[in-house]
Structures are given as C-alpha cells and as structure tokens.
Amino acid sequence: MSVKGLDVGTAFIVCQEEDATGKIHTRSQRDAFFEVTSGEMTKNALNENETNYVKMGDKLYVVGDDAMEFAEAMGSKARRPLSQGFISPREPEALAIIKKLIAAVLDKQVGPPPHKVVFSVPAEPIDDESRRASLTYHRGSLTTILEQLGYEPIPLTEGLAVAYSELREHHFTGIAISWGAGMINVATTYNSVTIPELTFALARGGDWIDESVAAALEESVAVVCGVKENKDEFSLATKYSSGIPQALSIYYDALVRYAFAHVANRVKGLKRRFVNPMPIVVSGGTTSPPGFDDLVRRVVAETAFSNYKGDKFLIGDVFRAKKPLLSVAGGCLIKGIVG
Ligand SMILES: Nc1ncnc2c1ncn2[C@@H]1O[C@H](COP(=O)(O)OP(=O)(O)OP(=O)(O)O)[C@@H](O)[C@H]1O
Ligand SMILES: [Mg+2]
C-alpha cells in the first residue's frame, strides 16, 4: 500500500509523500496552461526539452511551471484550469490539463496496490449560492481522474487538511483557515471532530486582491501580483501612502475583515459553547507577506464573537503555519497515514 497527499489549488497543485525512511518528498506545479502553435517542429522541440504538454485535437498546451515560462516568453498570460477553487466551467480543456498536472506531481507509484490519494476539496462556498452545485462536479471529476490514474481517491475538506497539519499541539482543537488564490477555506475542529457550522468557504482570495488593486489603479493584474509576492516591495508590516503597496494593504485589510465578518456571523448562529479559547491557525500562499498574522490578530481583536445566547466565543493564540504553501498537502498526507 502507498499513500500520497494532494492539494488541488487554484494557483498550485502540490503532492507530498513519505518514503520508507520517513523523509517527506514534495512536488509542486503551477495550476496553469498555455496554448502553443501546433506542428511537428514545436512538438519535437517540446519533447527534446522535456516540456510538460498535452495534445488535444490539433492543439498543443504546455502545462504547469513551463506554461508560466512560455506565457512570459510570448508576452502573454497563462490560463487556469481552476477558477475560484473549482474546475473552471469556462475552460473546456480544463479536465485534460488537470489530469496531466496531477499525474506529474503524483509521479510514480511505489509498491503494490492499493495506492491511496487523499486530495483536497473546498468546503461549500457560503457567499456564492450559484456555485454550490459546482462542488459536487469538482469533487466527482477529480475522483474520476484519480481512479483513471490507478489510485484510490479520498476527498478531504481543505480547511480540515490545515487543521490536521497545524493543530496537533492544540489537540486538534481550533479554527484553521487556508487563504488561497481563489478561496478562503475555514474549518473548525474540537478534539479533531469537525464543527460543521464553522466549516465553510468564501469565494475570495489572493486573486481577488490582485484584481481589485489592478482595477483601482488601472494596472495589470500580473504587475500587481508581482509586487505582492516580492517581500522587498511589499510587506503588511510597513505603512505606505501611495502606489500598489498601499492599495495592496487596503485590500488585504478588506479581505481579512470580510473573512472574520463571516466567521462572526456563523458563530452568532452557533448552538454550542466552548469553554476554552479557540486558537486560530492561518495558512495558504496569501498569508505569506510579513505582518499577515498581526493583521489577523488586529481584526480578531476588533471583532465581537458571541453565540446565539450571547455567550462570548473566546479566541486564543493566532499563529501562521510554518510552510503556508505546503500545509494542505501535508494535512492530506497525515489523514492518509492515520486514516
Ligand atoms: N510570497 C508571497 N506573497 C504574497 N502572496 C503570495 C506569495 N506566494 C504566493 N502568494 C499568493 O498565494 C496565492 C496562492 O496560494 P495557495 O497556493 O495557498 O492557493 P491555492 O491553494 O492554489 O488556491 P485555492 O486554495 O484558493 O484554490 C496566490 O494568490 C499567490 O499570489
Ligand atoms: Mg488552497
């Protein structure tokens, strides 16, 4: 038997597995594709360079990290097979592209079957009614792809994966929040048991920040995202008075407030009471800029959390995962190992 953890995200696809010596191996690809001119010359060049590509009809698509490189070289933009956490309904090629990327990060199967893969799926988005049905399609399509690749697929809600990887020292009790590119995924556990009222997704994330800043300043999304991801150009610990960094700070603040307004709203309907303060762990690529955890602490301190009877819902430590881009795949792997 073998087990792998797989995070199928809007921006990145990540796999983690443990070898016989207990060493963890990570493989990651950008969740992206780029159409290149079809023809024998191109195909031969791609083969010689060992570029990852898919052929569909008379079209060729470079996928993953290579797609980003190609897009930049062509002065264009790569496309994404996922949009706001789900397989994109606007990209007919999406399923074949995702299959190729998943096969690449899963790599070889080791040992005899069964080969299990625990894969992440978003929770139900509560701020976008129209997309709730998409979750069933998304989960079903990934299940089919993994079965076709010879695996036994086990879905796991993204926020729970973060809880499994980051809340061990808190006895798997707390609020785990994955801040991704397309979504924010929240999961709450009490001694590892899921609290469903506080487990949900919101259809906003890093992409929303990039697009909002770009629209406000009439800049390109790629330029904005480049500044956001460069710690020499942007930090949440610095105060800016103009330009892209200032606009990024404004939308980061708005995103964090948006998320905790939803958490507080859900807590308000809660017919439960927790005696001890709930720790909060934040993870995901969007938590990367310095100062993100302080921003969360500030917003949490300014938000009133109380249940349906008005009992205070206490928040404990707020901390950031050590490896924000890997904790979903890591949590999936833990779930696969522990069962
Ligand atoms: N160093 C960085 N600074 C700021 N933002 C970053 C950094 N690195 C990555 N990001 C942002 O993090 C996001 C990707 O994070 P992550 O990989 O957790 O998302 P995902 O799992 O692919 O998406 P989702 O969970 O929403 O489907 C992108 O918006 C990206 O711009
Ligand atoms: Mg994610």
Side-chain angles (χ1 to χ4, degrees):
M1 193 192 93
S2 72
V3 183
K4 299 180 201 231
L6 177 69
D7 173 8
V8 187
T10 310
F12 293 98
I13 296 196
V14 186
C15 171
Q16 283 208 329
E17 68 183 307
E18 197 179 42
D19 68 18
T21 68
K23 187 167 180 276
I24 303 286
H25 296 262
T26 304
R27 288 177 295 273
S28 161
Q29 285 281 333
R30 287 305 278 233
D31 203 352
F33 65 105
F34 187 73
E35 187 181 333
V36 292
T37 344
S38 165
E40 278 312 300
M41 281 270 283
T42 318
K43 219 168 93 186
N44 292 343
L46 294 179
N47 285 336
E48 275 165 27
N49 280 330
E50 292 182 9
T51 305
N52 222 348
Y53 71 91
V54 186
K55 186 170 176 346
M56 263 179 278
D58 56 357
K59 292 187 170 161
L60 287 180
Y61 299 96
V62 175
V63 303
D65 297 349
D66 293 333
M68 305 305 281
E69 206 181 304
F70 261 78
E72 270 187 57
M74 297 298 143
S76 181
K77 272 195 327 199
R79 284 150 65 191
R80 295 241 194 96
L82 261 64
S83 160
Q84 292 182 295
F86 294 131
I87 291 165
S88 174
R90 289 187 304 277
E91 302 286 8
E93 301 91 343
L95 287 179
I97 305 282
I98 292 169
K99 186 173 177 183
K100 183 80 180 178
L101 284 167
I102 287 179
V105 298
L106 289 179
D107 204 13
K108 290 186 284 290
Q109 290 181 334
V110 184
H115 300 290
K116 292 190 181 175
V117 172
V118 177
F119 69 101
S120 67
V121 287
E124 198 170 272
I126 58 168
D127 58 346
D128 190 352
E129 291 270 340
S130 67
R131 297 174 72 246
R132 280 191 198 172
S134 314
L135 177 56
T136 310
Y137 174 72
H138 178 79
R139 185 174 41 220
S141 301
L142 293 179
T143 300
T144 305
I145 286 173
L146 287 164
E147 282 170 353
Q148 287 169 348
L149 292 171
Y151 291 90
E152 189 182 303
I154 304 155
L156 177 65
T157 304
E158 173 153 350
L160 285 177
V162 173
Y164 294 148
S165 73
E166 310 298 331
L167 288 174
R168 178 191 290 262
E169 281 158 33
H170 291 83
H171 313 291
F172 300 107
T173 297
I175 302 173
I177 312 181
S178 177
W179 307 75
M183 284 194 147
I184 298 166
N185 269 277
V186 180
T188 304
T189 53
Y190 179 73
N191 287 294
S192 90
V193 178
T194 310
I195 307 297
E197 303 93 313
L198 297 183
T199 299
F200 58 88
L202 300 167
R204 283 189 192 178
D207 291 345
W208 178 82
I209 295 179
D210 301 347
E211 285 154 17
S212 304
V213 171
L217 300 184
E218 291 190 346
E219 262 296 352
S220 87
V221 171
V223 167
V224 170
C225 185
V227 173
K228 182 188 76 174
E229 293 183 4
N230 185 341
K231 68 176 182 337
D232 296 329
E233 290 184 68
F234 176 64
S235 158
L236 284 162
T238 308
K239 281 214 183 313
Y240 304 97
S241 49
S242 64
I244 294 175
Q246 184 211 18
L248 282 168
S249 309
I250 290 171
Y251 284 104
Y252 251 103
D253 188 83
L255 184 73
V256 172
R257 283 179 197 283
Y258 179 74
F260 284 103
H262 278 281
V263 173
N265 199 29
R266 286 260 151 170
V267 168
K268 211 183 267 167
L270 206 59
K271 296 201 164 139
R272 305 174 189 258
R273 193 169 78 87
F274 301 102
V275 174
N276 295 317
M278 280 282 190
I280 295 178
V281 58
V282 296
S283 191
T286 296
T287 70
S288 304
F292 184 87
D293 40 351
D294 284 330
L295 170 60
V296 171
R297 279 184 206 103
R298 267 198 314 277
V299 172
V300 166
E302 289 169 20
T303 309
F305 300 96
S306 53
N307 73 4
Y308 79 113
K309 271 168 62 186
D311 293 330
K312 244 182 168 335
F313 180 96
L314 301 170
I315 305 289
D317 291 348
V318 175
F319 64 101
R320 173 168 38 190
K322 283 191 192 74
K323 294 183 178 164
L325 289 162
L326 306 184
S327 53
V328 173
C332 288
L333 178 60
I334 290 170
K335 176 72 180 164
I337 293 170
V338 176

